[in-house]
Structure formats: C-alpha cells, structure tokens
Amino acid sequence: MSRSTPEPGRLERLFRRTTPFLLLAIVVLGGALRFYQIGSKGLWLDEAFSVWLGWQPIGEMLAWLLRIDQHPPLYYALLHFWMALGDDAATVRALSALLGTLTIPVIFLLGRRLADEKVGLLAALILAASPFHVRFAQETRMYTLLTLNAALALYCLARLLTDPRAASVPLGQQFIDLWQTWRAARAADKETSTETVGYERDLRGRTDWVQAPTRRRWLPLRAIETDLAWLGYMVFTTATLLSHNTAVFFPVATNIFVVGLYLTCCILRIPHPTFRNTQHATRNTQYGFLLNWLTAQVGTFLLWSPWLMAFVIQSVGVYQEFWIWPPTWLSVIETIGSFLCAFLPRHVRWLDALWMVYVALLVLGIVHFRHRPAHVAFLLVVFATPFVGELLVSLRRPIFYDRTLIWASLPLYLLLAAGLRQMRYLPYILACLCIILAANFVSVRNYYVYFQKEEWNKAAAYVAEQVESDDLILFNATWVQIPFDFYFRTYGRPVAEHGVPVDLFDRGILEPKMTESDLPRLRALIRGRRRVWLVYSHDWYTDPKGLIPRALEQELNLISRRDFFGLQVRLYGVR
C-alpha cells in the first residue's frame, strides 16, 4: 500500500490561512514607507525634467525624447496621464510610490513559485523595508516602473519554467482551443435556441451577461494559463525595455539562462528541470520548449521594434557624450551595499557584523535550493547579467549606475529570503530578520531625516523675494531652468531668463558646455542690465573652467551669493 501524505500540523494550517493577511500587512507597511513625507523634499533636476516632459502632448513628448533625452517613453507617457490629478511634488511622486508598492505582492508570487509561501513572504518583507527602493519610490523617475515590469516578467518566466505544458503545448494553442470551444458552444446554442420556450428563451435573447454562464461557454483559467504566462512574459519584457534603455540586459539575462539550461540538459543528457517527475521528459518536449521560447523572443522583439530606431539614436547620443564617471570595483560593491542597507553611515560599529549576516544568508539561500540548481542559476544569472553588461559597456562609454540596476536587487532579496527559510529554527529566523529590519528601518529613517535633494524650491523663493522686473536671470546649465521655473512660476514674477551658453535645448542636448567662443553672447546678454542673477549648478560638468562667473565679474560687481544644496545663486550689479 502507498503511504498517505500526513496532514499538515495545526501551526502550518494556521499559517496558510493567515498568509493573505500577512501579505496584506507587508504591502501596507511598504506602501506606508513609500508614501510617508513623499512631498516634503523639493523636486530635483531629473524629477523636474520628468514633470516638464509629462506636461507635453504625447507627440511632442516623443519628439523631445529623440532630441534631448536618453530614456524610452513608457514612464513619461504614464506620468502624462497621471498628472491629470495634479503636478505638485507629492502627486507626481505618488505614481512611483504606487508602482513600488505593487512590486511587493509580485515578489511574493515569484518567491512562492520558486520555493514556497514562506520564502515569498520573507522576500516581500525585505523588499517592503528596503531603503533603496523607498528612496526611488519617492522620485518622479522611471525606476520603480522598471522594477515592477521586470518582476512581472520574471514571475511569468518562473511559471513557464515550472509548467510542463510550456513545452508540450505549442504557444498560442490554448487560446486557439478556447476560441474553438467558444464557437462550438455558440453554434450549439443557436441550434437549440429554437427549442427554448417561455421566459428562458426571452431571458437568453436579451443579454450576453445572462447567456455566458448559462451556456457554460468559458473554460477555467487553468486551461489557458500557460498561454497567458507566455503572453505576460512578452508584454512585460517589452514594458521593461520601454521603461529604461539599459533594460536590454533583461532579455539578455533570461536568454542566457534559458538557452544555457537547455544546452546543459542536452549535453549532460538529463531531463529539463521543468519535466522531472512527469511523463513529459522527452527530447521532443525539450525541443518544444525551445521552439516556444524562440517564438516568444520574436514576439517580444516585434512589440518593442517600433522603438528600435529611437533606441539606436539615443544610444549613439550617449556614446558621443555622457556624464557618468567610469566604474570601479568599489562602485560595484557600493551598489550591492545600497541594495542591502543604503543610507547607513560607514563608521557604524556593527556594520561589519551586518555584512557577515548578509553573506551567511546568501550562502544559506544557495543551500536552500541545492536540490534545485536551476533555481539558483536563474537567480544568479538575473542578478549578475546587468552588472556584467553595464561594466562591459562602460569599457567604451561609462553607463554603470546603481539606479539602472534596481531590478537586479529582486533575485538578491529572494536569495536572502531563502537563506532565512533555510535556518528552519524559528528563533534563529526571527533574530536574523530583526537584524535586517532594524538596519533597514535605521536606513529609512536616515533617508527621511538626512538625505537632501537639490533645493530649487528654496532658491526660487529667495530670488522671488528680491527680483525686480528689469532684472535678468541666467542659468549656466541650461536645463536647470526647468526645476527653477517649476517653483518660480508660482510667485508670478515675470522676468527675462536666458541660458548660458545657449537657451534651453537650442543645441539639442541637455547640458551644453561653456567655451571661450560663447563669451561674446554672454556679454551681449548682460549689456545694459543693471542687475543680473546667476543660477549656478552642475558647473563641474557644464562650466568646469568657471568662465561664466569670471566674465560676469569683469562687467559687474558681485552683490550677494547664497548657497543652497546642489546650487548657488549669485546677484551681480553695476559697478
């Protein structure tokens, strides 16, 4: 006789019943951290630029993206419609906070699919309290959208890699079967409709809302869930690519894993992990999965292809000129450290002990998946590929930037969650979890209290208090006029404004550099002016030689200078 499966213990049954409520509590916690004081800090340069693009009609927005920006349009388009609710700092940032909150249940589903509900809940809790994610959930930029789309695509891929029907059934066949079943049911219903008499015939003839359940025309969701997963993978991978251009490393990562796993299984003559312990572990089914996978890649490319030429144009622009410094091994380590405990001061005594905890949990996470090596490979490849990709590209043109790698933190959190789960003994799990959460909450508090953004709101208020109608305001980095005007417009003080070396976007780039040949235009702008304001910011890149203040001091006296975080405001007057 076969041995029956023992009934789960009372504690396990209680945990399963309370899992939805625990997840809800974690989502509420993550949402509260992301929305707390969301409008307390002023918009900085990049955020104000996002708002400025969001104000543009969609057609003009796309034209501006090709001309001056290096990002795809999905986030800006969403922000354009979101701003119907308002364009103050709290409202425009709320979109990012909402997207970041929605990522929390997705990582739970991913963890549950790869391991179990406990790993899913632990990963969701780590993500919810992550100071790195809290920070970018409070910025009017596309990084939480990038993370959400990548998480959804990874979840769809995890479903496909754990579903034998992903290979045994051709891609799209389930949708075709559903359509044929629906048509057959509709034809059968027409044949029998003449036999229906009385109120039932009259009721069915009035509305499809009544007809659908009475005909039982719709199949259970399980009948089409594999095709839904394929479709979800294609759609969300495309959305990831349209969230940030560096997300090209996302399909690179998934292809490295899937094709590498397939080749490994073929070379070693072992069944694909998806089909172990099933009756589908044949070479034909493995070929079937690869064929479906290649079809999905073609579908993803076709969905993304309308943006292809724009991607090439923007990539060429980045290659020709970009401001990011070349990466070092220290910057790589600091990026990983930001994923784990951003905003912790380096001199904290217990920081080394915290790192030891993280390293131990990562090792335990790998041990947890020791019987499922494909899961370990999946998480490690998704984590490492964007790092390696950005480092390789940075050999020619530096693009390595922690926020563009934000989606790579998801497999890291899943490994940490698996490491906690591997400890098994509840007091040990709670002790390590308390250490992680304590570090995260200290980091989040430091972010709320100490993290500063460029003070364009204060600078605009300072100028508005003293500006006169015949004054001139100059901006050295021309696009800093956007965040300054975002706040200055509210004071209703009309005054002449110009960029130096050129007015906003006149050269078709965001930050044109000041050169000696631009000095005659500067002198022409200030000629005859009694007072001139200089809003001076990002000069390390746009005016490294200090040409603008030097030229102004040759013609005018420096009356006052006021420093704000991220910028300086100077007032010059006649001698």
Side-chain angles (χ1 to χ4, degrees):
M1 295 178 63
S2 61
R3 185 176 300 176
S4 60
T5 304
E7 183 181 357
R10 181 181 303 176
L11 186 62
E12 188 69 21
R13 292 197 303 271
L14 178 62
F15 172 78
R16 290 181 180 179
R17 287 197 298 267
T18 58
T19 293
F21 302 100
L22 292 174
L23 177 60
L24 178 61
I26 292 172
V27 173
V28 170
L29 170 65
L33 293 175
R34 284 155 177 76
F35 280 94
Y36 179 68
Q37 293 186 350
I38 194 169
S40 61
K41 297 178 174 66
L43 296 179
W44 73 289
L45 182 58
D46 284 10
E47 291 184 283
F49 179 71
S50 297
V51 174
W52 182 84
L53 273 177
W55 280 334
Q56 312 303 317
I58 296 297
E60 295 182 18
M61 176 194 298
L62 295 175
W64 281 116
L65 289 177
L66 288 177
R67 184 181 175 191
I68 60 173
D69 198 33
Q70 303 90 28
H71 300 96
L74 182 58
Y75 174 77
Y76 297 125
L78 291 177
L79 183 63
H80 171 81
F81 295 105
W82 180 267
M83 284 168 55
L85 302 175
D87 59 3
D88 60 286
T91 302
V92 295
R93 286 173 177 161
L95 174 60
S96 296
L98 177 61
L99 296 171
T101 304
L102 292 176
T103 309
I104 297 172
V106 179
I107 199 174
F108 163 77
L109 295 173
L110 183 57
R112 185 177 67 176
R113 193 73 183 185
L114 294 176
D116 56 29
E117 291 180 336
K118 295 177 182 177
V119 170
L121 285 174
L122 290 169
L125 183 56
I126 294 172
L127 175 61
S130 166
F132 188 77
H133 285 264
V134 169
R135 173 194 170 181
F136 289 105
Q138 295 197 345
E139 282 205 357
T140 314
R141 299 296 284 169
M142 65 289 297
Y143 304 110
T144 55
L145 176 64
L146 170 65
T147 310
L148 175 60
N149 286 325
L152 288 167
L154 288 174
Y155 173 66
C156 292
L157 178 57
R159 289 192 67 91
L160 293 169
L161 292 170
T162 54
D163 184 357
R165 293 175 297 174
S168 59
V169 179
L171 195 158
Q173 186 61 50
Q174 291 180 343
F175 288 149
I176 294 174
D177 291 343
L178 174 64
W179 170 251
Q180 291 177 344
T181 301
W182 183 85
R183 292 192 62 184
R186 188 178 180 87
D189 186 76
K190 287 182 178 179
E191 293 178 1
T192 58
S193 62
T194 56
E195 302 175 3
T196 305
V197 295
Y199 72 92
E200 186 178 359
R201 178 187 59 197
D202 296 336
L203 191 62
R204 288 189 176 188
R206 286 178 193 163
T207 172
D208 286 338
W209 184 83
V210 177
Q211 291 175 19
T214 55
R215 293 173 182 168
R216 301 184 181 274
R217 187 181 300 160
W218 302 105
L219 297 178
L221 184 62
R222 180 173 173 78
I224 57 172
E225 65 176 347
T226 306
D227 272 354
L228 286 175
W230 282 117
L231 179 62
Y233 172 80
M234 291 185 284
V235 169
F236 292 120
T237 299
T238 304
T240 303
L241 292 169
L242 293 176
S243 299
H244 201 282
N245 283 333
T246 59
V248 293
F249 297 114
F250 181 84
V252 171
T254 55
N255 276 277
I256 287 175
F257 171 73
V258 172
V259 176
L261 184 63
Y262 173 79
L263 293 177
T264 301
C265 292
C266 290
I267 293 172
L268 299 181
R269 299 179 181 274
I270 59 177
H272 192 285
T274 304
F275 313 115
R276 287 177 181 170
N277 302 322
T278 72
Q279 298 178 351
H280 301 280
T282 67
R283 186 170 296 273
N284 288 335
T285 54
Q286 295 189 43
Y287 286 150
F289 184 86
L290 185 62
L291 179 61
N292 284 344
W293 177 255
L294 294 176
T295 303
Q297 302 314 298
V298 173
T300 301
F301 178 79
L302 291 176
L303 289 174
W304 178 71
S305 60
W307 185 249
L308 176 60
M309 285 305 301
F311 172 79
V312 173
I313 293 171
Q314 290 182 337
S315 300
V316 171
V318 169
Y319 181 80
Q320 292 175 345
E321 183 175 10
F322 206 51
W323 63 269
I324 292 181
W325 299 105
T328 62
W329 288 115
L330 179 60
S331 59
V332 175
I333 295 172
E334 287 179 344
T335 298
I336 299 175
S338 296
F339 290 170
L340 299 174
C341 53
F343 309 113
L344 278 182
R346 297 182 180 180
H347 62 270
V348 174
R349 295 181 180 178
W350 45 269
L351 193 57
D352 291 338
L354 180 63
W355 287 120
M356 292 177 62
V357 171
Y358 279 125
V359 171
L361 289 177
L362 290 174
V363 172
L364 287 174
I366 295 175
V367 172
H368 183 76
F369 290 117
R370 63 189 179 277
H371 299 304
R372 289 170 286 184
H375 290 59
V376 177
F378 174 72
L379 296 174
L380 293 180
V381 168
V382 172
F383 172 75
T385 299
F387 277 84
V388 175
E390 290 198 8
L391 288 172
L392 289 176
V393 174
S394 295
L395 296 175
R396 297 298 301 271
R397 167 57 64 186
I399 64 168
F400 187 89
Y401 206 23
D402 59 357
R403 62 205 62 189
T404 66
L405 295 163
I406 188 171
W407 57 273
S409 64
L410 300 177
L412 188 65
Y413 297 158
L414 286 164
L415 280 174
L416 289 174
L420 287 167
R421 178 75 172 88
Q422 181 61 28
M423 299 180 76
R424 302 183 186 281
Y425 190 44
L426 185 59
Y428 293 165
I429 296 176
L430 293 177
C432 287
L433 189 60
C434 287
I435 292 173
I436 293 175
L437 292 180
N440 281 350
F441 287 133
V442 170
S443 299
V444 171
R445 177 188 175 276
N446 289 342
Y447 163 74
Y448 292 143
V449 176
Y450 301 115
F451 184 76
Q452 289 184 286
K453 296 186 177 182
E454 296 165 348
E455 295 178 324
W456 296 103
N457 51 348
K458 296 181 180 179
Y462 171 74
V463 174
E465 289 177 358
Q466 305 180 53
V467 73
E468 299 177 2
S469 59
D470 58 346
D471 286 355
L472 171 67
I473 303 178
L474 297 178
F475 303 91
N476 71 295
T478 55
W479 75 321
V480 303
Q481 182 178 343
I482 292 176
F484 181 86
D485 283 348
F486 178 85
Y487 292 102
F488 190 71
R489 65 192 171 104
T490 61
Y491 297 97
R493 303 297 299 273
V495 62
E497 297 179 343
H498 285 286
V500 183
V502 293
D503 284 332
L504 187 64
F505 306 144
D506 275 2
R507 286 186 181 171
I509 57 177
L510 284 177
E511 296 179 286
K513 292 184 177 65
M514 185 71 181
T515 63
E516 298 276 355
S517 61
D518 297 310
L519 291 176
R521 177 179 180 274
L522 172 59
R523 294 191 177 96
L525 287 173
I526 65 176
R527 188 176 298 121
R529 293 286 182 176
R530 191 174 61 87
R531 298 202 320 170
V532 176
W533 295 85
L534 174 63
V535 180
Y536 206 49
S537 179
H538 294 71
D539 51 289
W540 58 270
Y541 184 74
T542 59
D543 189 23
K545 297 180 180 180
L547 297 176
I548 298 174
R550 191 183 311 158
L552 289 173
E553 290 169 7
Q554 291 173 357
E555 305 289 336
L556 302 167
N557 289 326
L558 178 61
I559 299 176
S560 65
R561 181 175 63 188
R562 179 76 175 270
D563 291 325
F564 301 91
F565 185 79
L567 70 148
Q568 187 181 88
V569 176
R570 301 184 181 190
L571 175 61
Y572 295 88
V574 293
R575 293 182 180 278

